[in-house]
Amino acid sequence: MIIKHAKDVPFEEMKDYAGVKKQVFIGPKDGSNEIVLRYFSVAPGGNTPYHQHGFPHLVKIEKGTGVAIDAKGIEHPLMVNDLIFITDDEIHSFKNYGT
């Protein structure tokens, strides 16, 4: 069993991700290769580039507002407590338009 407190997990800056940093709460370094729990902080005006993963993942908006941008470039507004399911290899991006 592994127990951590979020404040004890360091943030990592993400190269090529403007204004984005992340924390990996539980992941491969903990022996968890199938399930990974991460937290991303996207600064005002920050964004992720279009990208995709070879695995499905879930996103929960904890603070602020922004958009999820799909493969067609359509921006889907996001706000606190919105939940997103992104399938394997689905191209996507996030942008923080909020403060």
Side-chain angles (χ1 to χ4, degrees):
M1 178 183 302
I2 296 172
I3 299 173
K4 296 182 183 181
H5 193 283
K7 70 176 174 55
D8 297 329
V9 178
F11 276 97
E12 303 170 20
E13 296 294 329
M14 299 189 63
K15 183 181 177 186
D16 300 325
Y17 284 58
V20 179
K21 57 186 181 176
K22 75 174 177 179
Q23 291 171 289
V24 179
F25 295 136
I26 301 293
K29 290 180 182 177
D30 301 298
S32 181
N33 294 315
E34 295 175 4
I35 298 171
V36 179
L37 179 59
R38 305 176 297 176
Y39 175 83
F40 290 86
S41 175
V42 182
N47 67 281
T48 65
Y50 273 111
H51 64 284
Q52 63 193 71
H53 311 276
F55 52 87
H57 60 290
L58 303 169
V59 177
K60 179 178 185 250
I61 306 304
E62 292 284 319
K63 295 190 278 190
T65 59
V67 294
I69 307 167
D70 67 23
K72 295 179 183 178
I74 298 170
E75 294 187 353
H76 304 270
L78 300 172
M79 56 189 258
V80 173
N81 290 322
D82 280 348
L83 307 168
I84 306 158
F85 172 64
I86 300 171
T87 61
D88 297 33
D89 297 316
E90 184 176 358
I91 296 171
H92 61 284
S93 175
F94 295 99
K95 183 167 180 80
N96 179 354
Y97 283 127
T99 56

